[in-house]
Amino acid sequence: MKKAAILGIGLIGGSLARCLKERTNLIVEGFDSSKESLALATSAGIIDRGHTDLTQAVAEADFVFLAVPVQAAKGLLDQLSHIPLKKGCILSDVGSTKEEIVAHANQLKELSAIFIGGHPMAGSHRSGVQATNPLLFENAYYVLTPLPDTPTSDVERLSDLLSVATRGKLVTMAPEYHDQVVGAISHLPHIIASGLVNQVSRYNDKNEWFHRLAAGGFRDLTRIAAAHPIMWRDILLSNRKAILHLMDDWIAEMEGVREAIAEANAEEIQSFFTRAKISREGLPERRFKGMLHPLYECYVDVPDYPGAIAAVSKLLADNEVNIQNIGVMENREDCAGVLRLVFVDEEKLIRARELLRAKQYYVFDLDEQEEG
Ligand SMILES: NC(=O)c1ccc[n+]([C@@H]2O[C@H](COP(=O)([O-])OP(=O)(O)OC[C@H]3O[C@@H](n4cnc5c(N)ncnc54)[C@H](O)[C@@H]3O)[C@@H](O)[C@H]2O)c1
Ligand SMILES: O=C(O)C(=O)C[C@]1(C(=O)O)C=C[C@@H](O)C=C1
């Protein structure tokens, strides 16, 4: 039997393990410094076996995936360069930055496996094995960053495996290029979200209404600020060059709009928002999107009385419309507010919209707005 070893059984490593277990014939073994995570992953069937010993974990592995924070991944690579790996073994990672780790692997001449950098463009602000999801990478881009001299057959072998296992969209690009692009659409937004949360938190220390009034806008924009600090520390340290450049551009962007506000320049302020609106609406379609998950979702306003949520789910269940996922949006205090409903396909979503609207529920579907 062929084997994959996943080093780091957290959100991404654990989700990848579940993909491999569900959709390939590989034996999946895990390595983690946390015995609790390994025990949980083994008992939940996420991995076949857990190890705290690296040599045992990678023994006879055909594929090894590093799924730990970026700086820890460099340390594991150093250790792996002293461990004989199976002939033909492919070593990859899932880290959010690529230039540094690819260069690091490339200069480890003793490394007995081919290294191909990887980064699934999907994730969450949650971390740990408890947050794993075998559908996490579905339809998301999964970037591989082979070097010009990486054998094509190895890239294909890895790409084929990941394509089947994750159902993601495999693409290749140069590591530096990856870091510039992902710096702009992932790393910079995390800095902005966290900076905004810290700024408002300072105000809130003196007046608690800041947090209490925080509604949809603030919460939507800052969800990602709840992500793992060590992971993000490592990402920023690893992609410093690109991020510093992006932050300069961001500061210039903010100075531009600040000036327009200071001068009460209505035309310029409107143009700032108009450009953003057009660009935001031009992002790839959400349902078959790249960086965002394919979702058949809608939002339903529900009144604030006991049983209101049950009434919505009963209406749909009575009409054989299965809800795949349901959540209460946290955008209003002391109020049930808005229900987010997710369906398995478009047909179910359309049927749900019809049923709910026939009962006078207010249903909002972003894609319907974009289509119309
Ligand atoms: N979270 C995301 O949204 C996301 C998305 C794509 C890629 N990534 C990348 O995936 C990697 C893992 O992130 P995650 O979100 O799964 O983190 P996580 O915190 O959920 O999981 C990391 C796991 O690695 C283990 N670990 C940490 N250091 C270790 C070490 N030195 N030796 C052994 N085990 C160690 C931890 O115990 C934990 O189980 C990071 O490099 C991150 O940049 C994250
Ligand atoms: O959805 C989220 O919470 C994420 O932060 C996911 C996200 C992103 O920025 O889009 C975070 C880091 C990754 O390397 C890839 C994806």
Side-chain angles (χ1 to χ4, degrees), residues 7-13 31-34 37 66-70 72 76 94-97 119-129 228 231 235:
L7 316 183
I9 302 293
L11 170 73
I12 301 297
F31 165 83
D32 204 291
S33 49
S34 156
S37 295
L66 298 155
V68 295
V70 178
L76 288 181
V94 298
S96 306
T97 60
H119 180 204
M121 278 312 300
S124 156
H125 55 281
R126 299 179 62 210
S127 56
V129 71
H228 203 302
M231 170 180 143
I235 291 172

PDB file of all heavy atoms in Angstrom, residues 7-13 31-34 37 66-70 72 76 94-97 119-129 228 231 235, ligand 1:
ATOM      1  N   LEU A   7       2.690  16.139   8.127  1.00  0.00           N
ATOM      2  CA  LEU A   7       3.398  16.659   9.293  1.00  0.00           C
ATOM      3  C   LEU A   7       2.683  17.920   9.772  1.00  0.00           C
ATOM      4  O   LEU A   7       2.776  18.969   9.130  1.00  0.00           O
ATOM      5  CB  LEU A   7       4.858  16.941   8.928  1.00  0.00           C
ATOM      6  CG  LEU A   7       5.564  15.855   8.084  1.00  0.00           C
ATOM      7  CD1 LEU A   7       7.026  16.231   7.849  1.00  0.00           C
ATOM      8  CD2 LEU A   7       5.457  14.485   8.759  1.00  0.00           C
ATOM      9  N   GLY A   8       1.927  17.781  10.836  1.00  0.00           N
ATOM     10  CA  GLY A   8       1.087  18.870  11.339  1.00  0.00           C
ATOM     11  C   GLY A   8      -0.361  18.537  11.049  1.00  0.00           C
ATOM     12  O   GLY A   8      -0.831  18.685   9.915  1.00  0.00           O
ATOM     13  N   ILE A   9      -1.051  18.027  12.084  1.00  0.00           N
ATOM     14  CA  ILE A   9      -2.455  17.624  11.865  1.00  0.00           C
ATOM     15  C   ILE A   9      -3.363  18.691  12.477  1.00  0.00           C
ATOM     16  O   ILE A   9      -4.056  18.474  13.468  1.00  0.00           O
ATOM     17  CB  ILE A   9      -2.719  16.202  12.457  1.00  0.00           C
ATOM     18  CG1 ILE A   9      -1.780  15.187  11.808  1.00  0.00           C
ATOM     19  CG2 ILE A   9      -4.156  15.763  12.235  1.00  0.00           C
ATOM     20  CD1 ILE A   9      -2.035  14.947  10.317  1.00  0.00           C
ATOM     21  N   GLY A  10      -3.307  19.894  11.888  1.00  0.00           N
ATOM     22  CA  GLY A  10      -4.195  20.972  12.307  1.00  0.00           C
ATOM     23  C   GLY A  10      -5.279  21.163  11.264  1.00  0.00           C
ATOM     24  O   GLY A  10      -5.688  20.198  10.605  1.00  0.00           O
ATOM     25  N   LEU A  11      -5.722  22.420  11.099  1.00  0.00           N
ATOM     26  CA  LEU A  11      -6.805  22.697  10.149  1.00  0.00           C
ATOM     27  C   LEU A  11      -6.479  22.187   8.741  1.00  0.00           C
ATOM     28  O   LEU A  11      -7.243  21.426   8.143  1.00  0.00           O
ATOM     29  CB  LEU A  11      -7.084  24.216  10.090  1.00  0.00           C
ATOM     30  CG  LEU A  11      -8.008  24.645   8.964  1.00  0.00           C
ATOM     31  CD1 LEU A  11      -9.438  24.250   9.236  1.00  0.00           C
ATOM     32  CD2 LEU A  11      -7.915  26.136   8.698  1.00  0.00           C
ATOM     33  N   ILE A  12      -5.321  22.612   8.216  1.00  0.00           N
ATOM     34  CA  ILE A  12      -5.016  22.295   6.814  1.00  0.00           C
ATOM     35  C   ILE A  12      -4.507  20.853   6.683  1.00  0.00           C
ATOM     36  O   ILE A  12      -4.983  20.096   5.825  1.00  0.00           O
ATOM     37  CB  ILE A  12      -3.997  23.308   6.238  1.00  0.00           C
ATOM     38  CG1 ILE A  12      -4.558  24.738   6.334  1.00  0.00           C
ATOM     39  CG2 ILE A  12      -3.645  22.962   4.796  1.00  0.00           C
ATOM     40  CD1 ILE A  12      -5.812  24.996   5.524  1.00  0.00           C
ATOM     41  N   GLY A  13      -3.566  20.449   7.548  1.00  0.00           N
ATOM     42  CA  GLY A  13      -3.054  19.075   7.480  1.00  0.00           C
ATOM     43  C   GLY A  13      -4.162  18.056   7.726  1.00  0.00           C
ATOM     44  O   GLY A  13      -4.257  17.038   7.023  1.00  0.00           O
ATOM     45  N   PHE A  31       1.994  13.278  11.814  1.00  0.00           N
ATOM     46  CA  PHE A  31       3.033  13.629  12.791  1.00  0.00           C
ATOM     47  C   PHE A  31       2.635  14.978  13.376  1.00  0.00           C
ATOM     48  O   PHE A  31       2.214  15.878  12.643  1.00  0.00           O
ATOM     49  CB  PHE A  31       4.381  13.726  12.079  1.00  0.00           C
ATOM     50  CG  PHE A  31       5.451  14.413  12.890  1.00  0.00           C
ATOM     51  CD1 PHE A  31       6.188  13.717  13.845  1.00  0.00           C
ATOM     52  CD2 PHE A  31       5.720  15.763  12.686  1.00  0.00           C
ATOM     53  CE1 PHE A  31       7.180  14.359  14.584  1.00  0.00           C
ATOM     54  CE2 PHE A  31       6.712  16.412  13.423  1.00  0.00           C
ATOM     55  CZ  PHE A  31       7.438  15.695  14.373  1.00  0.00           C
ATOM     56  N   ASP A  32       2.732  15.101  14.690  1.00  0.00           N
ATOM     57  CA  ASP A  32       2.419  16.394  15.305  1.00  0.00           C
ATOM     58  C   ASP A  32       3.106  16.444  16.662  1.00  0.00           C
ATOM     59  O   ASP A  32       3.365  15.411  17.282  1.00  0.00           O
ATOM     60  CB  ASP A  32       0.893  16.536  15.501  1.00  0.00           C
ATOM     61  CG  ASP A  32       0.449  17.995  15.572  1.00  0.00           C
ATOM     62  OD1 ASP A  32       0.776  18.656  16.577  1.00  0.00           O
ATOM     63  OD2 ASP A  32      -0.205  18.473  14.619  1.00  0.00           O
ATOM     64  N   SER A  33       3.429  17.649  17.094  1.00  0.00           N
ATOM     65  CA  SER A  33       4.029  17.769  18.423  1.00  0.00           C
ATOM     66  C   SER A  33       2.958  17.636  19.511  1.00  0.00           C
ATOM     67  O   SER A  33       3.281  17.420  20.674  1.00  0.00           O
ATOM     68  CB  SER A  33       4.772  19.098  18.559  1.00  0.00           C
ATOM     69  OG  SER A  33       3.937  20.140  18.132  1.00  0.00           O
ATOM     70  N   SER A  34       1.700  17.759  19.107  1.00  0.00           N
ATOM     71  CA  SER A  34       0.618  17.650  20.095  1.00  0.00           C
ATOM     72  C   SER A  34       0.043  16.231  20.106  1.00  0.00           C
ATOM     73  O   SER A  34      -0.587  15.797  19.134  1.00  0.00           O
ATOM     74  CB  SER A  34      -0.476  18.672  19.759  1.00  0.00           C
ATOM     75  OG  SER A  34      -1.700  18.259  20.298  1.00  0.00           O
ATOM     76  N   SER A  37      -3.785  16.242  19.672  1.00  0.00           N
ATOM     77  CA  SER A  37      -4.283  16.359  18.288  1.00  0.00           C
ATOM     78  C   SER A  37      -4.187  15.021  17.578  1.00  0.00           C
ATOM     79  O   SER A  37      -5.099  14.616  16.840  1.00  0.00           O
ATOM     80  CB  SER A  37      -3.468  17.390  17.504  1.00  0.00           C
ATOM     81  OG  SER A  37      -3.654  18.651  18.054  1.00  0.00           O
ATOM     82  N   LEU A  66       4.199  18.947   4.510  1.00  0.00           N
ATOM     83  CA  LEU A  66       4.449  19.768   5.697  1.00  0.00           C
ATOM     84  C   LEU A  66       3.243  20.682   5.880  1.00  0.00           C
ATOM     85  O   LEU A  66       2.924  21.455   4.971  1.00  0.00           O
ATOM     86  CB  LEU A  66       5.682  20.637   5.474  1.00  0.00           C
ATOM     87  CG  LEU A  66       7.005  19.906   5.250  1.00  0.00           C
ATOM     88  CD1 LEU A  66       7.965  20.779   4.464  1.00  0.00           C
ATOM     89  CD2 LEU A  66       7.607  19.536   6.586  1.00  0.00           C
ATOM     90  N   ALA A  67       2.585  20.588   7.030  1.00  0.00           N
ATOM     91  CA  ALA A  67       1.379  21.408   7.255  1.00  0.00           C
ATOM     92  C   ALA A  67       1.450  22.082   8.624  1.00  0.00           C
ATOM     93  O   ALA A  67       0.502  22.039   9.405  1.00  0.00           O
ATOM     94  CB  ALA A  67       0.127  20.550   7.107  1.00  0.00           C
ATOM     95  N   VAL A  68       2.609  22.671   8.887  1.00  0.00           N
ATOM     96  CA  VAL A  68       2.840  23.398  10.145  1.00  0.00           C
ATOM     97  C   VAL A  68       3.093  24.864   9.781  1.00  0.00           C
ATOM     98  O   VAL A  68       3.309  25.180   8.602  1.00  0.00           O
ATOM     99  CB  VAL A  68       4.058  22.811  10.904  1.00  0.00           C
ATOM    100  CG1 VAL A  68       3.786  21.391  11.359  1.00  0.00           C
ATOM    101  CG2 VAL A  68       5.319  22.870  10.055  1.00  0.00           C
ATOM    102  N   PRO A  69       3.094  25.792  10.741  1.00  0.00           N
ATOM    103  CA  PRO A  69       3.423  27.190  10.400  1.00  0.00           C
ATOM    104  C   PRO A  69       4.769  27.289   9.667  1.00  0.00           C
ATOM    105  O   PRO A  69       5.652  26.435   9.848  1.00  0.00           O
ATOM    106  CB  PRO A  69       3.466  27.875  11.767  1.00  0.00           C
ATOM    107  CG  PRO A  69       2.540  27.054  12.618  1.00  0.00           C
ATOM    108  CD  PRO A  69       2.725  25.636  12.155  1.00  0.00           C
ATOM    109  N   VAL A  70       4.898  28.333   8.849  1.00  0.00           N
ATOM    110  CA  VAL A  70       6.009  28.418   7.893  1.00  0.00           C
ATOM    111  C   VAL A  70       7.398  28.258   8.537  1.00  0.00           C
ATOM    112  O   VAL A  70       8.250  27.530   8.007  1.00  0.00           O
ATOM    113  CB  VAL A  70       5.918  29.760   7.118  1.00  0.00           C
ATOM    114  CG1 VAL A  70       7.079  29.904   6.167  1.00  0.00           C
ATOM    115  CG2 VAL A  70       4.605  29.853   6.364  1.00  0.00           C
ATOM    116  N   ALA A  72       8.197  26.750  11.358  1.00  0.00           N
ATOM    117  CA  ALA A  72       8.341  25.370  11.827  1.00  0.00           C
ATOM    118  C   ALA A  72       8.591  24.424  10.643  1.00  0.00           C
ATOM    119  O   ALA A  72       9.327  23.435  10.759  1.00  0.00           O
ATOM    120  CB  ALA A  72       7.095  24.938  12.594  1.00  0.00           C
ATOM    121  N   LEU A  76      11.427  21.533  10.160  1.00  0.00           N
ATOM    122  CA  LEU A  76      11.163  20.124   9.825  1.00  0.00           C
ATOM    123  C   LEU A  76      11.922  19.712   8.567  1.00  0.00           C
ATOM    124  O   LEU A  76      12.428  18.586   8.472  1.00  0.00           O
ATOM    125  CB  LEU A  76       9.662  19.884   9.641  1.00  0.00           C
ATOM    126  CG  LEU A  76       8.814  19.901  10.919  1.00  0.00           C
ATOM    127  CD1 LEU A  76       7.352  19.634  10.587  1.00  0.00           C
ATOM    128  CD2 LEU A  76       9.303  18.856  11.931  1.00  0.00           C
ATOM    129  N   VAL A  94       2.104  23.117   2.568  1.00  0.00           N
ATOM    130  CA  VAL A  94       0.847  23.826   2.331  1.00  0.00           C
ATOM    131  C   VAL A  94       0.955  25.277   2.800  1.00  0.00           C
ATOM    132  O   VAL A  94      -0.050  25.975   2.934  1.00  0.00           O
ATOM    133  CB  VAL A  94      -0.339  23.149   3.077  1.00  0.00           C
ATOM    134  CG1 VAL A  94      -0.565  21.731   2.588  1.00  0.00           C
ATOM    135  CG2 VAL A  94      -0.121  23.163   4.592  1.00  0.00           C
ATOM    136  N   GLY A  95       2.168  25.720   3.072  1.00  0.00           N
ATOM    137  CA  GLY A  95       2.386  27.028   3.693  1.00  0.00           C
ATOM    138  C   GLY A  95       1.891  28.193   2.849  1.00  0.00           C
ATOM    139  O   GLY A  95       1.873  28.136   1.616  1.00  0.00           O
ATOM    140  N   SER A  96       1.564  29.288   3.523  1.00  0.00           N
ATOM    141  CA  SER A  96       0.964  30.441   2.858  1.00  0.00           C
ATOM    142  C   SER A  96       1.968  31.315   2.116  1.00  0.00           C
ATOM    143  O   SER A  96       1.573  32.267   1.439  1.00  0.00           O
ATOM    144  CB  SER A  96       0.238  31.304   3.890  1.00  0.00           C
ATOM    145  OG  SER A  96      -0.682  30.522   4.602  1.00  0.00           O
ATOM    146  N   THR A  97       3.259  31.059   2.283  1.00  0.00           N
ATOM    147  CA  THR A  97       4.272  31.789   1.507  1.00  0.00           C
ATOM    148  C   THR A  97       5.147  30.752   0.818  1.00  0.00           C
ATOM    149  O   THR A  97       5.309  29.636   1.325  1.00  0.00           O
ATOM    150  CB  THR A  97       5.165  32.652   2.416  1.00  0.00           C
ATOM    151  OG1 THR A  97       5.828  31.801   3.349  1.00  0.00           O
ATOM    152  CG2 THR A  97       4.353  33.679   3.173  1.00  0.00           C
ATOM    153  N   HIS A 119       0.323  25.426  -2.003  1.00  0.00           N
ATOM    154  CA  HIS A 119      -0.498  26.297  -1.153  1.00  0.00           C
ATOM    155  C   HIS A 119      -1.960  26.227  -1.589  1.00  0.00           C
ATOM    156  O   HIS A 119      -2.329  26.769  -2.633  1.00  0.00           O
ATOM    157  CB  HIS A 119       0.008  27.746  -1.253  1.00  0.00           C
ATOM    158  CG  HIS A 119      -0.788  28.694  -0.408  1.00  0.00           C
ATOM    159  ND1 HIS A 119      -0.852  30.035  -0.670  1.00  0.00           N
ATOM    160  CD2 HIS A 119      -1.539  28.500   0.715  1.00  0.00           C
ATOM    161  CE1 HIS A 119      -1.616  30.619   0.246  1.00  0.00           C
ATOM    162  NE2 HIS A 119      -2.043  29.696   1.090  1.00  0.00           N
ATOM    163  N   PRO A 120      -2.788  25.563  -0.783  1.00  0.00           N
ATOM    164  CA  PRO A 120      -4.222  25.579  -1.105  1.00  0.00           C
ATOM    165  C   PRO A 120      -4.815  26.929  -0.719  1.00  0.00           C
ATOM    166  O   PRO A 120      -4.648  27.380   0.413  1.00  0.00           O
ATOM    167  CB  PRO A 120      -4.793  24.460  -0.206  1.00  0.00           C
ATOM    168  CG  PRO A 120      -3.818  24.314   0.919  1.00  0.00           C
ATOM    169  CD  PRO A 120      -2.487  24.818   0.451  1.00  0.00           C
ATOM    170  N   MET A 121      -5.496  27.583  -1.667  1.00  0.00           N
ATOM    171  CA  MET A 121      -6.062  28.906  -1.382  1.00  0.00           C
ATOM    172  C   MET A 121      -7.438  28.775  -0.751  1.00  0.00           C
ATOM    173  O   MET A 121      -8.457  29.217  -1.292  1.00  0.00           O
ATOM    174  CB  MET A 121      -6.132  29.730  -2.670  1.00  0.00           C
ATOM    175  CG  MET A 121      -4.830  30.394  -3.037  1.00  0.00           C
ATOM    176  SD  MET A 121      -4.038  31.284  -1.679  1.00  0.00           S
ATOM    177  CE  MET A 121      -5.273  32.491  -1.232  1.00  0.00           C
ATOM    178  N   ALA A 122      -7.454  28.128   0.377  1.00  0.00           N
ATOM    179  CA  ALA A 122      -8.702  27.981   1.131  1.00  0.00           C
ATOM    180  C   ALA A 122      -8.304  27.794   2.570  1.00  0.00           C
ATOM    181  O   ALA A 122      -7.243  27.253   2.862  1.00  0.00           O
ATOM    182  CB  ALA A 122      -9.476  26.765   0.649  1.00  0.00           C
ATOM    183  N   GLY A 123      -9.131  28.227   3.456  1.00  0.00           N
ATOM    184  CA  GLY A 123      -8.797  28.067   4.867  1.00  0.00           C
ATOM    185  C   GLY A 123      -9.874  28.674   5.725  1.00  0.00           C
ATOM    186  O   GLY A 123     -11.034  28.794   5.301  1.00  0.00           O
ATOM    187  N   SER A 124      -9.469  29.083   6.902  1.00  0.00           N
ATOM    188  CA  SER A 124     -10.442  29.615   7.849  1.00  0.00           C
ATOM    189  C   SER A 124      -9.677  30.353   8.935  1.00  0.00           C
ATOM    190  O   SER A 124      -8.466  30.204   9.073  1.00  0.00           O
ATOM    191  CB  SER A 124     -11.212  28.425   8.426  1.00  0.00           C
ATOM    192  OG  SER A 124     -11.759  28.734   9.676  1.00  0.00           O
ATOM    193  N   HIS A 125     -10.423  31.144   9.722  1.00  0.00           N
ATOM    194  CA  HIS A 125      -9.786  31.790  10.872  1.00  0.00           C
ATOM    195  C   HIS A 125      -9.684  30.786  12.016  1.00  0.00           C
ATOM    196  O   HIS A 125      -9.075  31.063  13.030  1.00  0.00           O
ATOM    197  CB  HIS A 125     -10.604  33.004  11.306  1.00  0.00           C
ATOM    198  CG  HIS A 125     -12.042  32.677  11.587  1.00  0.00           C
ATOM    199  ND1 HIS A 125     -12.975  32.511  10.600  1.00  0.00           N
ATOM    200  CD2 HIS A 125     -12.680  32.429  12.749  1.00  0.00           C
ATOM    201  CE1 HIS A 125     -14.134  32.218  11.136  1.00  0.00           C
ATOM    202  NE2 HIS A 125     -13.994  32.140  12.445  1.00  0.00           N
ATOM    203  N   ARG A 126     -10.298  29.603  11.849  1.00  0.00           N
ATOM    204  CA  ARG A 126     -10.221  28.594  12.902  1.00  0.00           C
ATOM    205  C   ARG A 126      -8.963  27.759  12.696  1.00  0.00           C
ATOM    206  O   ARG A 126      -8.409  27.704  11.605  1.00  0.00           O
ATOM    207  CB  ARG A 126     -11.462  27.710  12.871  1.00  0.00           C
ATOM    208  CG  ARG A 126     -12.740  28.512  13.110  1.00  0.00           C
ATOM    209  CD  ARG A 126     -13.957  27.632  13.050  1.00  0.00           C
ATOM    210  NE  ARG A 126     -13.930  26.611  14.087  1.00  0.00           N
ATOM    211  CZ  ARG A 126     -14.492  25.418  13.965  1.00  0.00           C
ATOM    212  NH1 ARG A 126     -15.113  25.086  12.841  1.00  0.00           N
ATOM    213  NH2 ARG A 126     -14.437  24.542  14.934  1.00  0.00           N
ATOM    214  N   SER A 127      -8.525  27.096  13.759  1.00  0.00           N
ATOM    215  CA  SER A 127      -7.339  26.258  13.596  1.00  0.00           C
ATOM    216  C   SER A 127      -7.535  24.965  14.389  1.00  0.00           C
ATOM    217  O   SER A 127      -8.492  24.825  15.148  1.00  0.00           O
ATOM    218  CB  SER A 127      -6.085  26.994  14.055  1.00  0.00           C
ATOM    219  OG  SER A 127      -6.242  27.415  15.383  1.00  0.00           O
ATOM    220  N   GLY A 128      -6.619  24.035  14.165  1.00  0.00           N
ATOM    221  CA  GLY A 128      -6.654  22.790  14.922  1.00  0.00           C
ATOM    222  C   GLY A 128      -7.469  21.703  14.250  1.00  0.00           C
ATOM    223  O   GLY A 128      -8.268  21.961  13.342  1.00  0.00           O
ATOM    224  N   VAL A 129      -7.256  20.501  14.738  1.00  0.00           N
ATOM    225  CA  VAL A 129      -7.864  19.314  14.137  1.00  0.00           C
ATOM    226  C   VAL A 129      -9.393  19.352  14.234  1.00  0.00           C
ATOM    227  O   VAL A 129     -10.101  18.830  13.367  1.00  0.00           O
ATOM    228  CB  VAL A 129      -7.242  18.030  14.757  1.00  0.00           C
ATOM    229  CG1 VAL A 129      -7.661  17.807  16.185  1.00  0.00           C
ATOM    230  CG2 VAL A 129      -7.526  16.809  13.917  1.00  0.00           C
ATOM    231  N   HIS A 228      -5.004  32.418  13.746  1.00  0.00           N
ATOM    232  CA  HIS A 228      -3.929  32.005  14.645  1.00  0.00           C
ATOM    233  C   HIS A 228      -2.721  32.964  14.589  1.00  0.00           C
ATOM    234  O   HIS A 228      -2.084  33.111  13.542  1.00  0.00           O
ATOM    235  CB  HIS A 228      -3.487  30.594  14.238  1.00  0.00           C
ATOM    236  CG  HIS A 228      -2.818  29.852  15.343  1.00  0.00           C
ATOM    237  ND1 HIS A 228      -1.690  30.317  15.973  1.00  0.00           N
ATOM    238  CD2 HIS A 228      -3.127  28.685  15.944  1.00  0.00           C
ATOM    239  CE1 HIS A 228      -1.335  29.462  16.902  1.00  0.00           C
ATOM    240  NE2 HIS A 228      -2.197  28.463  16.916  1.00  0.00           N
ATOM    241  N   MET A 231       0.705  31.494  13.201  1.00  0.00           N
ATOM    242  CA  MET A 231       0.675  31.280  11.746  1.00  0.00           C
ATOM    243  C   MET A 231       0.891  32.613  11.018  1.00  0.00           C
ATOM    244  O   MET A 231       1.705  32.716  10.098  1.00  0.00           O
ATOM    245  CB  MET A 231      -0.673  30.665  11.359  1.00  0.00           C
ATOM    246  CG  MET A 231      -0.912  30.633   9.880  1.00  0.00           C
ATOM    247  SD  MET A 231      -2.515  29.904   9.506  1.00  0.00           S
ATOM    248  CE  MET A 231      -3.007  30.900   8.115  1.00  0.00           C
ATOM    249  N   ILE A 235       3.928  34.112   8.569  1.00  0.00           N
ATOM    250  CA  ILE A 235       3.643  34.526   7.187  1.00  0.00           C
ATOM    251  C   ILE A 235       4.260  35.903   6.919  1.00  0.00           C
ATOM    252  O   ILE A 235       4.941  36.123   5.914  1.00  0.00           O
ATOM    253  CB  ILE A 235       2.115  34.538   6.929  1.00  0.00           C
ATOM    254  CG1 ILE A 235       1.574  33.100   6.923  1.00  0.00           C
ATOM    255  CG2 ILE A 235       1.782  35.243   5.620  1.00  0.00           C
ATOM    256  CD1 ILE A 235       0.056  32.989   6.862  1.00  0.00           C
TER     257      ILE A 235
HETATM  258  N1  LIG B   1      -5.424  28.477   8.166  1.00  0.00           N
HETATM  259  C1  LIG B   1      -5.535  28.782   6.907  1.00  0.00           C
HETATM  260  O1  LIG B   1      -6.488  29.431   6.500  1.00  0.00           O
HETATM  261  C2  LIG B   1      -4.470  28.320   5.943  1.00  0.00           C
HETATM  262  C3  LIG B   1      -4.790  28.206   4.588  1.00  0.00           C
HETATM  263  C4  LIG B   1      -3.825  27.744   3.694  1.00  0.00           C
HETATM  264  C5  LIG B   1      -2.551  27.434   4.163  1.00  0.00           C
HETATM  265  N2  LIG B   1      -2.271  27.567   5.498  1.00  0.00           N
HETATM  266  C6  LIG B   1      -0.935  27.181   5.957  1.00  0.00           C
HETATM  267  O2  LIG B   1      -1.053  25.887   6.491  1.00  0.00           O
HETATM  268  C7  LIG B   1      -0.098  25.694   7.539  1.00  0.00           C
HETATM  269  C8  LIG B   1      -0.820  25.137   8.758  1.00  0.00           C
HETATM  270  O3  LIG B   1      -1.823  26.034   9.155  1.00  0.00           O
HETATM  271  P1  LIG B   1      -3.111  25.529   9.955  1.00  0.00           P
HETATM  272  O4  LIG B   1      -4.134  26.589   9.774  1.00  0.00           O
HETATM  273  O5  LIG B   1      -3.433  24.130   9.610  1.00  0.00           O
HETATM  274  O6  LIG B   1      -2.558  25.604  11.446  1.00  0.00           O
HETATM  275  P2  LIG B   1      -3.056  24.796  12.735  1.00  0.00           P
HETATM  276  O7  LIG B   1      -2.604  25.585  13.895  1.00  0.00           O
HETATM  277  O8  LIG B   1      -4.500  24.457  12.613  1.00  0.00           O
HETATM  278  O9  LIG B   1      -2.231  23.436  12.651  1.00  0.00           O
HETATM  279  C9  LIG B   1      -0.844  23.354  12.794  1.00  0.00           C
HETATM  280  C10 LIG B   1      -0.505  22.025  13.431  1.00  0.00           C
HETATM  281  O10 LIG B   1       0.904  21.884  13.407  1.00  0.00           O
HETATM  282  C11 LIG B   1       1.359  21.421  14.680  1.00  0.00           C
HETATM  283  N3  LIG B   1       2.726  21.907  14.835  1.00  0.00           N
HETATM  284  C12 LIG B   1       3.160  23.184  14.925  1.00  0.00           C
HETATM  285  N4  LIG B   1       4.501  23.227  14.982  1.00  0.00           N
HETATM  286  C13 LIG B   1       4.929  21.944  14.930  1.00  0.00           C
HETATM  287  C14 LIG B   1       6.202  21.334  14.938  1.00  0.00           C
HETATM  288  N5  LIG B   1       7.324  22.062  14.993  1.00  0.00           N
HETATM  289  N6  LIG B   1       6.268  19.987  14.883  1.00  0.00           N
HETATM  290  C15 LIG B   1       5.151  19.248  14.811  1.00  0.00           C
HETATM  291  N7  LIG B   1       3.908  19.765  14.788  1.00  0.00           N
HETATM  292  C16 LIG B   1       3.813  21.096  14.847  1.00  0.00           C
HETATM  293  C17 LIG B   1       0.370  21.994  15.685  1.00  0.00           C
HETATM  294  O11 LIG B   1       0.340  21.215  16.868  1.00  0.00           O
HETATM  295  C18 LIG B   1      -0.945  21.915  14.904  1.00  0.00           C
HETATM  296  O12 LIG B   1      -1.608  20.692  15.093  1.00  0.00           O
HETATM  297  C19 LIG B   1       0.566  27.040   7.767  1.00  0.00           C
HETATM  298  O13 LIG B   1       1.823  27.037   7.146  1.00  0.00           O
HETATM  299  C20 LIG B   1      -0.345  28.028   7.068  1.00  0.00           C
HETATM  300  O14 LIG B   1       0.398  29.124   6.569  1.00  0.00           O
HETATM  301  C21 LIG B   1      -3.204  27.976   6.388  1.00  0.00           C
END
